[in-house]
Amino acid sequence: MTVRVGIINVTGFAGMEAARLLWNHPEAELVAATGRSLAGQQLGEAFPHLAAYADFPITSELEAEVDVVFSALPTGASAEACAPLVEQGVRVIDIAADFRLREPAAFAQWFGKDHPAPALLDRAVYGLAELHAGEIANADLVANPGCYPATTILALAPAVAAGLIEPRVFVDAKSGISGAGRGTGGGFSYSDVNEDVSAYRIANHNHQPEMAQELSRLREGPEVAVTFVPHLVPMTRGIHSTCYAPLAEDVSQSEVLALYRDFYADAPFTSVTDAPPHTKHTYGSNDCLVHPTVDERNGALVAVGVLDNLMKGAAGSAIENMNLMFGLPQAAGLDRPALYP
C-alpha cells in the first residue's frame, strides 16, 4: 500500500522540503497540497526546484483522500486545521509548535494565546524518534519537534537519562536564516544578516519550555531548568547547539563517549562523533551529529549537537515519523548523505 500524503501550506520552507523528500519516497506519495497565496498554480511552476511536480496543483483546501497530513502552518493556525482531521480519523503530523507542550497553560504563557484544541493535547506524541519511536508508531497525532529543541535534546538526553549532570543546563545555539520561515517580514534580508551574528529572544524563546519539558521526562526528581540563548547567523540551513551542565559525578571522556554511543546504538539518524561536528556535515541530510566533552577542570559537560533545521529539524523528521506511523522502514526516503561543500 502506498501512503497517501497531504501537505497543508506547501508554500513554506518546511512544506516544500517535505514535498521534495516525498518525490523519491519508495512507499509514500504526495496527493494533495494547499497554499492559499498560490492556489491555482502548479507546484512545479511556483517553485522551479520542484519541477518534477509540473502538473501538481496547489489548492486552497485538501482535495484528495489522504492517509496522513503534514501541517506546516504557523503555530495556532495549525491546530485549528489539524483538529477536524484528527477527529475524522486522518493521522496528522504537526510541524508547527501547537501540540509540543503538554499543558494548555504553558502554551498560553509562551505563545500569548489560548490553545485552539486543548482536548487533543493528551493524544499528541512528541515526535523525536530517538526517544519515542514506539509511541509514534501507534499515534494518530504527532507533534514534530522544533529545530532548536531537537538538537539540544539529542545532545543532552544520554547524560540526563543517566543522571550524569545536574538538572541545570545552559544552551548557546545558532540557526540559519531559513529557520525563520519563508513568510517572515523585515530583518532577514541579505543586507540585514550578512556579516552579522545576533542573539535574540534571550531566555524568552518559545522553544525553551519544550526543551525543559522533554529533558525532564528523562529523569526522576527536579525538573531540568534550561537557560536558552538563540543566535541568528548568516547561513541558509543549520542548527548548532552548545549545551553546558555541571556534572553530578566524576566521569571520564571515554566513559561519556561510551554512554552516548550505547544510548544511540539503534538510532539511524543520530551519531556520536569523535570531533566537534560542523553544521555543514548535516546539510541536506536527516542526521543529527552529537559530540560530548568532559571539562575535567571545572566539573562540567559540554555537549554539541548539529542538524539541518529543514531536515531533522522539520520536514525530514516529519517523514521519519510518518514512516514509523505506517510501519515503513524508518529511513525510507531519507537515506541520503549530507551535501558538501
Side-chain angles (χ1 to χ4, degrees):
M1 176 187 103
T2 298
V3 177
R4 299 165 298 180
V5 184
I7 298 175
I8 299 176
N9 195 29
V10 75
T11 57
F13 285 144
M16 67 175 73
E17 185 75 340
R20 183 181 73 86
L21 294 171
L22 285 166
W23 178 255
N24 285 320
H25 196 292
E27 300 186 66
E29 179 184 2
L30 181 65
V31 299
T34 75
R36 294 183 181 178
S37 63
L38 297 178
Q41 294 191 42
Q42 304 300 309
L43 187 53
E45 172 192 2
F47 304 108
H49 75 288
L50 297 176
Y53 290 99
D55 298 319
F56 193 102
I58 301 172
T59 57
S60 59
E61 304 292 338
L62 294 172
E63 294 185 354
E65 191 171 347
V66 296
D67 302 305
V68 62
V69 166
F70 298 161
S71 176
L73 286 166
T75 297
S78 193
E80 292 177 359
C82 290
L85 293 168
V86 175
E87 297 302 334
Q88 292 165 22
V90 177
R91 302 178 90 171
V92 170
I93 299 169
D94 181 26
I95 301 176
D98 293 55
F99 297 102
R100 296 174 192 163
L101 300 181
R102 300 167 71 86
E103 298 297 330
F107 182 91
Q109 176 186 351
W110 285 93
F111 292 96
K113 62 183 81 172
D114 290 336
H115 196 282
L120 291 179
L121 289 175
D122 287 341
R123 293 171 64 173
V125 172
Y126 191 73
L128 195 57
E130 286 78 0
L131 303 182
H132 305 298
E135 296 171 75
I136 294 166
N138 296 312
D140 57 9
L141 174 60
V142 169
N144 228 53
C147 49
Y148 280 129
T151 323
T152 299
I153 293 165
L154 291 172
L156 290 171
V160 172
L164 195 65
I165 57 176
E166 300 291 345
R168 185 75 183 92
V169 302
F170 299 85
V171 181
D172 182 314
K174 282 82 177 174
S175 172
I177 308 304
S178 62
R182 181 169 172 266
T184 306
F188 296 95
S189 69
Y190 176 84
S191 57
D192 287 316
V193 302
N194 185 48
E195 299 291 343
D196 184 63
V197 176
S198 60
Y200 64 101
R201 299 183 67 178
I202 297 174
N204 193 39
H205 193 286
N206 53 38
H207 283 180
Q208 186 168 320
E210 184 181 337
M211 297 173 188
Q213 170 186 279
E214 294 304 313
L215 289 171
S216 296
R217 295 176 66 190
L218 293 169
R219 54 169 285 142
E220 297 181 355
E223 293 188 353
V224 177
V226 177
T227 296
F228 173 52
V229 182
H231 299 75
L232 192 67
V233 299
M235 62 184 182
T236 301
R237 296 175 181 237
I239 296 285
H240 185 293
S241 292
T242 304
C243 311
Y244 309 84
L247 287 167
E249 58 185 75
D250 291 334
V251 64
S252 68
Q253 179 69 19
S254 60
E255 289 172 326
V256 169
L257 283 171
L259 171 72
Y260 269 65
R261 289 192 169 117
D262 181 66
F263 191 92
Y264 291 123
D266 299 321
F269 293 115
T270 296
S271 301
V272 182
T273 63
D274 290 322
H278 297 209
T279 56
K280 212 161 197 179
H281 296 166
T282 63
Y283 196 100
S285 81
N286 199 51
D287 297 326
C288 179
L289 302 180
V290 173
H291 177 72
T293 299
V294 174
D295 178 359
E296 295 180 355
R297 294 180 183 85
N298 298 298
L301 177 73
V302 182
V304 172
V306 300
L307 54 72
D308 182 328
N309 56 287
L310 294 181
M311 287 291 296
K312 184 66 171 173
S317 182
I319 299 287
E320 185 180 359
N321 287 327
M322 176 195 72
N323 291 340
L324 291 169
M325 294 167 79
F326 288 89
L328 306 178
Q330 189 170 337
L334 297 169
D335 190 11
R336 63 186 72 199
L339 176 64
Y340 188 90

